Amino acid sequence: MAIATNDTNTKEKAANFLEEIIQESIAKGDTRVQTRFPPEPNGYLHIGHAKSICINFGLAKKYGGKCNLRFDDTNPVKEDVEYVDSIKRDIRWLGFDWALERYASDYFDQLYDWAVVLIKKGLAYVDDQTQEEIRLTRGTVSEPGKESPWRNRSVEENLDLFERMKKGEFADGEKVLRAKIDMAHPNMLFRDPIMYRILHAEHHRTGNKWCIYPMYDYAHGQCDSIERITHSICTLEFDVHRPLYDWFIQALDIYPSHQYEFARLNLTYTMMSKRRLLKLVQEGAVMGWDDPRMPTICALRRKGYTPASVRNFAEMVGVAKRDNVIDLGKLEFCVREDLNKVAERRMAVLNPLKVVITNYPEGKTELFTAINNPEDENAGTRQVPFSREIYIERDDFMEVPPKKYYRLSPGTEVRLRYSYLIRCEEVVKDAEGNITELRCTYDPESGNGSSSDGRRVKGVIHWVSAADAIEAEIRLFNPLFTTEDPDDVAEGGSWEDNLNPDSMIVTRGYLEPSLGEAPIGQPFQFERVGYFCADTDSKPGHPVFNRTVTLKDSWAKINK
Ligand code: ATP
Ligand code: MG
């Protein structure tokens, strides 16, 4: 394997920079660790969020602290309980549990009161300009902005107007509340940032109680402070917001939470923008949010990824301070590594070639004992039926074999896994010359891994008894995009041009009968073929199996 396993060996791993920060504060006597994971309930969580979850919950766990789940529900228009429920399910699936479940909307009263405090201190004012006018007068990096004509309203007038904003006396966009800081500040975010806007919209939790809603920059730090968050961990793009985060906390003189930024996770061949993922769902480019080709956590679960593999991946890629792009192959490596330990083995043939064993009695069935998982002795064994007609994989036979081809070819012998040695006696073809069937003989003495004269063969192939096999729909997944960077487009093109037309290949397969009872989502290794699990689309009489991951890193190498 190209990726050294010691990458995943956490025992000796040096502390990441967030761990160092926490260890330093612990050394100074600040032992309390309180983090939070703050999703906006406006979409499903993806693998990038999984990373943030592992960091926030992981740090709390490691240092004996707590992590809250706080829904950042300050934008009623885009948010929905459907997303709240999916987010909770996904976090639990990853193996984490929160100390408190909170919503930014739980704090709307407190946030309002604090806005009043800022008005009284002369640090906030009601502006009658439209959001568009405000944007146009912000200035540029090299030019200061223009002060609003309403900037110097009296405290009394501001208190009155703000209260009337709350009471619903004004239409959407008619007024905003702004912090009064500095219209010439080099950090553009300090140029009198908007704290509240008017939005006559029903909120999924507070209903119609509010028609003014706080902006992210005003809400987030104050929510952190209320929950006495010690380490407010977010992605790099928020580093310019940090001074403003601190400014509000200082101006209000409340518990000083601190913000720390890490580099967001980017993956090759993967798109993580919620807006674009929503577009794929809405346009039917994928089967839904949980389509196994999506980067969402629910999709990874449906595809057969295990929580441990996702956590191991987050650990393996570590926490960086600079933006980078991780090879999708690393995620698949972690999936394989975990499935190799936990997935039971089964036999399944995806590209069948019929084999008739001419000297085996018609109508007879024998059972052979197969090992469920050589990596786990507790996994036990199962019985696999054998009969006169079986399927083998088409590429386990070659009419004209090259040197060192140890599988089946005319006149040679191969071992059927857990069963007999067979010899190919005859190749049957149709009118076009396609091979339709092989006629073989078996050695009746070779059924327990031996042979009548002690001869050994090098090739062992998998097989399924034709009469007993379950026919299943098999979905083979490939990356959703053809380019490492989905945004890598020619001029005038769009990211959608890079969608992979072969991201899902549907085929049929013959499975050993024990797979008929496979619970949805339980991973199996189809020996020599890959890792698979039963899909949620499975119905009685119509099983559907997803390929979770190939056995080897095949496509990543082919594509490079
Ligand atoms: P939006 O554009 O809707 O804000 P978002 O991806 O930032 O999208 P949030 O729900 O705000 O979504 O994210 C919750 C948390 O997950 C935030 O702390 C955010 O920084 C973090 N997060 C989001 N995307 C990634 C990513 N790719 N890697 C690591 N963390 C991420
Ligand atoms: Mg966000």
Side-chain angles (χ1 to χ4, degrees):
M1 271 285 140
I3 301 158
T5 42
N6 56 10
D7 259 29
T8 53
N9 186 346
T10 54
K11 268 180 265 159
E12 299 296 328
K13 207 165 169 170
N16 66 48
F17 79 96
L18 292 171
E19 292 169 341
E20 277 172 8
I21 287 168
I22 294 179
Q23 284 164 14
E24 274 164 30
S25 48
I26 289 175
K28 281 192 226 133
D30 262 341
T31 52
R32 195 174 63 90
V33 174
Q34 172 75 60
T35 57
R36 90 285 170 260
F37 174 65
E40 193 179 342
N42 63 352
Y44 284 78
L45 298 182
H46 54 56
I47 181 77
H49 295 116
K51 162 118 194 143
S52 176
I53 291 168
C54 290
I55 292 174
N56 280 299
F57 285 91
L59 287 173
K61 202 169 179 176
K62 181 161 182 180
Y63 296 101
K66 287 178 179 159
C67 181
N68 292 351
L69 169 59
R70 172 163 7 103
F71 290 99
D72 197 351
D73 58 347
T74 51
N75 184 359
V77 186
K78 289 202 244 151
E79 294 157 4
D80 201 280
V81 272
E82 174 197 350
Y83 298 128
V84 169
D85 294 341
S86 77
I87 288 168
K88 292 203 270 186
R89 194 181 323 127
D90 289 347
I91 297 172
R92 287 211 178 94
W93 178 77
L94 277 173
F96 297 109
D97 206 354
W98 43 92
L100 298 174
E101 175 183 337
R102 293 288 182 264
Y103 295 76
S105 57
D106 296 341
Y107 309 129
F108 281 175
D109 285 295
Q110 176 68 79
L111 292 172
Y112 179 87
D113 291 346
W114 277 338
V116 168
V117 169
L118 292 178
I119 292 173
K120 287 184 179 161
K121 286 190 175 183
L123 293 174
Y125 63 98
V126 173
D127 193 345
D128 293 4
Q129 295 182 107
T130 62
Q131 290 204 33
E132 181 63 8
E133 283 166 335
I134 291 170
R135 198 177 57 78
L136 291 172
T137 52
R138 265 178 91 213
T140 64
V141 188
S142 50
E143 262 175 74
K146 266 200 0 229
E147 293 192 353
S148 164
W150 312 104
R151 195 173 198 260
N152 295 313
R153 276 176 158 149
S154 68
V155 167
E156 289 67 36
E157 192 182 359
N158 280 320
L159 287 173
D160 174 59
L161 288 173
F162 187 49
E163 190 178 359
R164 287 164 58 196
M165 276 169 68
K166 177 190 174 195
K167 282 185 177 156
E169 289 186 24
F170 307 110
D172 288 3
E174 219 180 306
K175 291 186 174 11
V176 293
L177 184 73
R178 294 176 78 177
K180 190 170 176 178
I181 309 181
D182 179 0
M183 287 306 289
H185 202 285
N187 182 338
M188 302 276 290
L189 294 171
F190 275 80
R191 296 187 185 175
D192 293 8
I194 298 175
M195 295 166 57
Y196 272 92
R197 64 205 161 128
I198 301 173
L199 207 61
H200 290 268
E202 185 166 315
H203 186 282
H204 69 101
R205 284 182 69 84
T206 56
N208 291 306
K209 178 174 175 192
W210 296 91
C211 61
I212 55 171
Y213 289 95
M215 304 297 287
Y216 174 89
D217 276 328
Y218 175 62
H220 201 88
Q222 278 54 260
C223 292
D224 284 345
S225 177
I226 293 168
E227 292 175 16
R228 300 178 76 79
I229 302 298
T230 55
H231 298 80
S232 177
I233 297 160
C234 62
T235 39
L236 227 48
E237 68 273 19
F238 288 98
D239 67 342
V240 287
H241 296 251
R242 189 186 344 108
L244 187 55
Y245 180 105
D246 294 340
W247 187 90
F248 278 119
I249 283 178
Q250 278 159 22
L252 290 165
D253 193 20
I254 54 180
Y255 176 81
S257 295
H258 286 285
Q259 179 186 299
Y260 303 91
E261 307 88 21
F262 71 98
R264 65 194 302 120
L265 172 72
N266 300 302
L267 271 182
T268 56
Y269 301 99
T270 308
M271 162 71 63
M272 287 196 224
S273 150
K274 276 194 231 172
R275 197 169 38 84
R276 289 178 177 179
L277 295 176
L278 178 64
K279 190 158 187 257
L280 291 176
V281 172
Q282 284 172 341
E283 290 177 356
V286 291
M287 298 181 281
W289 280 105
D290 66 347
D291 183 306
R293 292 167 291 179
M294 293 280 275
T296 50
I297 297 177
C298 54
L300 302 181
R301 173 167 64 229
R302 178 172 171 187
K303 195 172 165 185
Y305 282 26
T306 55
S309 60
V310 177
R311 290 195 304 265
N312 292 345
F313 169 71
E315 181 70 30
M316 179 202 247
V317 301
V319 185
K321 277 188 191 171
R322 291 240 183 98
D323 276 322
N324 58 358
V325 183
I326 304 289
D327 190 339
L328 179 57
K330 282 196 182 175
L331 175 57
E332 296 193 342
F333 169 85
C334 292
V335 175
R336 261 181 221 115
E337 194 187 44
D338 189 48
L339 289 182
N340 181 47
K341 285 184 265 172
V342 302
E344 291 199 357
R345 274 53 169 172
R346 293 291 183 272
M347 291 199 286
V349 172
L350 298 200
N351 188 11
L353 175 60
K354 191 186 227 185
V355 173
V356 179
I357 296 152
T358 53
N359 59 339
Y360 194 85
E362 268 180 66
K364 178 176 172 180
T365 302
E366 266 177 281
L367 292 174
F368 285 100
T369 300
I371 294 165
N372 282 335
N373 187 353
E375 304 283 321
D376 175 7
E377 53 192 41
N378 298 324
T381 59
R382 68 189 186 285
Q383 301 294 103
V384 184
F386 178 83
S387 63
R388 185 176 146 94
E389 293 190 1
I390 61 171
Y391 294 116
I392 64 166
E393 232 39 90
R394 227 158 235 283
D395 49 3
D396 280 337
F397 174 78
M398 277 186 98
E399 204 171 6
V400 187
K403 262 193 189 145
K404 298 203 172 165
Y405 184 81
Y406 298 122
R407 292 168 276 167
L408 201 56
S409 56
T412 66
E413 249 186 345
V414 79
R415 162 79 57 196
L416 295 176
R417 180 101 162 121
Y418 299 119
S419 175
Y420 295 114
L421 290 172
I422 56 168
R423 177 188 305 278
C424 177
E425 310 287 357
E426 190 190 339
V427 181
V428 182
K429 296 182 181 174
D430 63 13
E432 279 99 55
N434 301 311
I435 300 171
T436 54
E437 188 180 300
L438 301 179
R439 298 184 78 79
C440 299
T441 52
Y442 82 113
D443 173 355
E445 304 298 316
S446 63
N448 53 1
S450 64
S451 62
S452 48
D453 58 2
R455 69 193 185 284
R456 298 179 134 260
V457 298
K458 281 199 171 150
V460 181
I461 64 173
H462 63 276
W463 53 276
V464 175
S465 160
D468 302 282
I470 292 170
E471 209 181 326
E473 176 180 331
I474 306 279
R475 296 175 179 171
L476 304 173
F477 299 106
N478 292 307
L480 191 51
F481 292 91
T482 52
T483 44
E484 276 198 17
D485 175 4
D487 271 317
D488 184 3
V489 284
E491 234 186 276
S494 119
W495 59 275
E496 283 160 290
D497 302 341
N498 290 330
L499 280 169
N500 180 2
D502 295 323
S503 56
M504 178 166 88
I505 293 166
V506 179
T507 164
R508 306 206 65 75
Y510 292 97
L511 320 180
E512 67 164 84
S514 67
L515 283 166
E517 277 118 57
I520 305 279
Q522 182 178 324
F524 289 99
Q525 185 193 94
F526 291 1
E527 292 202 46
R528 303 177 63 230
V529 178
Y531 291 97
F532 290 78
C533 71
D535 184 67
T536 46
D537 280 346
S538 287
K539 301 210 170 52
H542 184 91
V544 179
F545 277 77
N546 297 321
R547 181 169 69 197
T548 307
V549 68
T550 51
L551 280 184
K552 289 197 193 96
D553 185 1
S554 50
W555 64 266
K557 287 203 183 84
I558 292 163
N559 285 6
K560 261 172 207 150

